[in-house]
Amino acid sequence: MTERVLVLDFGSQTTQLIARRLRELRVYCEIHPCTVDDAFVRAFAPDAVVLSGGPASVTAGEAPRAPDAVFGLGVPVLGICYGMQTMCAQLGGRVVPATVREFGRAQIELLRESHLFDGILRVGGRAVVWMSHGDRVEELPPGFGPVARSEGSPFAAVADEARRFYGVQFHPEVVHTPIGKEIFENFCFRIARLAGDWSMSAFREEAVRRIREQVGSGRVVCGLSGGVDSAVTALLVHEAVGEQLTCIFVDTGLLRKDEAREVVSLFRDHFDIPLVHVEAGPVFFERLKGVTDPERKRKIIGETFVEIFEREAEKLGGADFLAQGTLYPDVIESVSFRGPSATIKTHHNVGGLPERMRLALVEPLRELFKDEVRELGREIGLPEAFVKRHPFPGPGLAVRILGEVTPQRVAVLQEADRIFLEEIRAAGLYDAIWQAFAVLLPVHTVGVMGDARTYEMACALRAVVSEDGMTADVYPFDPAFLARVATRIVNEVRGINRVVYDVTSKPPGTIEWE
């Protein structure tokens, strides 16, 4: 990867979207906190820099600043919202509290030509953008000129064309700014002269080289979960070091119907990767007996998983490295200027393994987003059905059973979940949905089936669409589809006599519905 853009994070909720927009243009980028020092910036040697938005005020004491080295690299810089404000303030301009704050949609008018708006707007042209700011630039730094204005911002876009420094008061990374993609295209290709040639093929070659360099003659263990992240990790590491890798698949008994069989068949039979299959369902069920709190379930499952994984790894004669399917959103959360998230990652069932087993980590996917992992999976030959598999939580069905987890309740939920997904596939809807699953509720309802009264469990169905897995909207099934699924579940699954559909959306920061 010879070209790369540095995105400095000032704490915006949409910083990840900046990286997504750049990656969509085949431009490689990395997000790092704005607190990195000048030495880091110079060593990174970016071809361009983007300064994100953020919640702070430049007018406040100890407001975060961009490293001074950013403005001495001789590369293009794009400041977004707070990023524009701190750039202007640091280069000799003045920022003040806005007399008219702008939150939401606004219209900008182009005041003069600028490379940032080439082919997008003509002078006097208007466009809808998304604003979110309480301060505004009052006086521009030397060398800068106004490019666009809005009702509340006389400097809605600014530029120093000679130094290739640009600022926009709005957020081009969000879908509510329709011209946002074109602005990033101009910045990357017209201004920074990037080639936009980052590809999965190139990433694969580089990742294999780095894995070989890191591992050398060492031994690697990888925990398979049945998900696409661990699967792609295993295939990539196996391509790099071959028989030095052993996969350990801990079958918790909490997976989807037939999922354990599919994982073993794919990796042991199809890819011929050394695989240890541990059927540990009875151990997990015994330790979950009587537990109803979801967070306790997660911790018990995580601790049990670590214990079993560690034991199996020791049987192999020891290992030097642990391969994990860490993704870029996980990395961003851990280094964010706002600090690591306290509400996610407790669902990961391999937490603590590296420290406990004194293993070095191999994380070949830590620079990729979820959709890029799927693309890499296709590149290395993972079957399409596996590549497109819906996300599944580390603790499995335990967090989709409200109340106590027992083998009988898991079996009931597996059947209901299987029917739901079968009907979704039959209707051609599987690829249009980010995640769909059934949930077993902790209530029994009275019903009449035939001439007999029943007193059985209820289940809920959940299906959402999402672009990034961070937020989600309910999938709008046709009522006839839901009626068909409910009828099948009630008729075919003993133990369920009522089905409901969950119509809540998933707000930012949540992982599972439970």
Side-chain angles (χ1 to χ4, degrees):
M1 289 177 285
T2 57
E3 290 183 339
R4 55 184 185 173
V5 174
L6 173 61
V7 179
L8 291 178
D9 176 27
F10 288 87
S12 170
Q13 294 179 342
T14 58
T15 299
Q16 262 196 56
L17 290 180
I18 297 172
R20 292 296 303 121
R21 299 299 168 252
L22 295 174
R23 295 281 185 92
E24 287 165 3
L25 298 175
R26 296 290 182 183
V27 171
Y28 181 75
C29 65
E30 290 183 20
I31 297 174
H32 290 279
C34 62
T35 50
V36 297
D37 60 19
D38 288 345
F40 175 89
V41 172
R42 294 190 189 100
F44 190 90
D47 295 282
V49 178
V50 178
L51 309 178
S52 84
S57 171
V58 172
T59 64
E62 299 185 0
R65 292 165 48 95
D68 291 331
V70 165
F71 307 112
L73 293 173
V75 302
V77 179
L78 173 62
I80 296 174
C81 197
Y82 182 90
M84 166 183 156
Q85 293 168 5
T86 192
M87 176 170 64
C88 288
Q90 289 179 233
L91 295 178
R94 189 163 64 95
V95 178
V96 299
T99 53
V100 178
R101 298 188 303 170
E102 291 179 300
F103 293 96
R105 286 183 175 84
Q107 267 205 350
I108 60 168
E109 177 189 355
L110 195 68
L111 301 175
R112 70 174 187 177
E113 291 185 356
S114 169
H115 291 310
L116 197 63
F117 290 89
D118 280 352
I120 302 174
L121 287 177
R122 294 180 177 178
V123 175
R126 296 175 177 272
V128 174
V129 298
W130 187 264
M131 295 280 195
S132 180
H133 66 98
D135 292 340
R136 74 177 191 183
V137 176
E138 182 77 4
E139 183 179 323
L140 293 179
F144 279 78
V147 171
R149 68 183 178 191
S150 68
E151 183 177 348
S153 299
F155 303 122
V158 300
D160 181 335
E161 302 281 356
R163 289 187 288 179
R164 297 185 295 173
F165 293 166
Y166 300 85
V168 292
Q169 186 59 73
F170 54 89
H171 288 271
E173 69 271 25
V174 302
V175 296
H176 310 296
T177 299
I179 62 172
K181 179 182 178 181
E182 287 80 3
I183 287 175
F184 282 118
E185 286 178 337
N186 280 347
F187 179 69
C188 292
F189 305 135
R190 290 177 182 261
I191 295 168
R193 303 290 183 183
L194 302 178
D197 56 1
W198 185 62
S199 68
M200 267 314 126
S201 176
F203 178 88
R204 175 186 181 181
E205 292 179 7
E206 176 69 11
V208 167
R209 184 194 65 77
R210 285 187 293 181
I211 293 168
R212 287 174 180 161
E213 186 177 276
Q214 180 186 5
V215 171
S217 60
R219 296 286 305 277
V220 187
V221 289
C222 176
L224 284 179
S225 66
V228 67
D229 302 339
S230 66
V232 173
T233 297
L235 292 179
L236 202 57
V237 174
H238 187 254
E239 179 178 346
V241 300
E243 299 297 306
Q244 292 168 242
L245 167 72
T246 300
C247 291
I248 300 175
F249 175 44
V250 179
D251 182 355
T252 64
L254 303 168
L255 302 176
R256 299 180 182 101
K257 179 83 170 180
D258 296 327
E259 193 163 63
R261 176 181 55 78
E262 293 170 1
V263 170
V264 172
S265 174
L266 179 66
F267 286 89
R268 183 179 285 167
D269 302 334
H270 182 74
F271 287 113
D272 195 28
I273 295 178
L275 173 66
V276 175
H277 177 203
V278 187
E279 299 185 55
V283 177
F284 283 88
F285 285 121
E286 178 63 29
R287 296 186 180 181
L288 288 169
K289 188 177 294 183
V291 178
T292 59
D293 178 69
E295 197 61 24
R296 278 199 63 207
K297 291 178 188 176
R298 284 192 171 103
K299 290 179 180 178
I300 290 170
I301 292 168
E303 291 167 0
T304 305
F305 181 96
V306 169
E307 177 186 317
I308 294 173
F309 189 98
E310 182 180 27
R311 185 179 67 232
E312 294 300 321
E314 288 175 352
K315 289 180 183 178
L316 298 172
D320 306 291
F321 299 90
L322 171 68
Q324 282 192 168
T326 306
L327 302 192
Y328 199 42
D330 304 334
V331 176
I332 294 170
E333 284 290 343
S334 68
V335 301
S336 170
F337 174 64
R338 293 168 291 165
S341 169
T343 59
I344 68 172
K345 303 304 167 231
T346 59
H347 66 299
H348 281 194
N349 59 14
V350 292
L353 274 177
E355 297 85 358
R356 178 164 169 168
M357 297 176 65
R358 296 184 176 86
L359 299 178
L361 278 177
V362 177
E363 298 174 303
L365 310 183
R366 63 182 283 114
E367 296 160 347
L368 300 183
F369 288 94
K370 188 76 171 187
D371 59 314
E372 293 169 333
V373 173
R374 296 187 194 280
E375 186 179 349
L376 179 59
R378 294 184 181 96
E379 171 72 25
I380 59 181
L382 193 64
E384 191 68 11
F386 213 96
V387 168
K388 292 181 176 179
R389 182 171 286 182
H390 289 177
F392 192 65
L397 298 179
V399 292
R400 293 178 180 172
I401 294 176
L402 278 65
E404 185 178 11
V405 178
T406 66
Q408 295 76 22
R409 300 189 84 202
V410 168
V412 168
L413 182 57
Q414 283 177 331
E415 289 299 323
D417 192 68
R418 174 187 62 81
I419 291 170
F420 188 27
L421 293 178
E422 269 185 13
E423 290 293 335
I424 286 174
R425 287 191 175 94
L429 301 175
Y430 190 84
D431 294 345
I433 295 171
W434 168 265
Q435 190 179 48
F437 53 87
V439 176
L440 202 60
L441 302 178
V443 295
H444 284 67
T445 64
V446 176
V448 176
M449 301 178 69
D451 294 322
R453 184 179 296 274
T454 64
Y455 185 63
E456 296 180 334
M457 292 179 285
C459 84
L461 305 179
R462 172 90 162 134
V464 295
V465 292
S466 176
E467 289 187 4
D468 52 18
M470 299 296 288
T471 61
D473 290 321
V474 176
Y475 186 82
F477 284 120
D478 183 274
F481 172 87
L482 292 175
R484 184 166 64 251
V485 173
T487 299
R488 277 199 64 189
I489 290 175
V490 170
N491 285 342
E492 299 177 31
V493 182
R494 290 187 176 274
I496 293 178
N497 69 356
R498 190 174 302 277
V499 177
V500 298
Y501 183 55
D502 174 31
V503 295
T504 58
S505 292
K506 187 171 78 169
T510 62
I511 298 298
E512 290 298 325
W513 183 91
E514 56 185 33

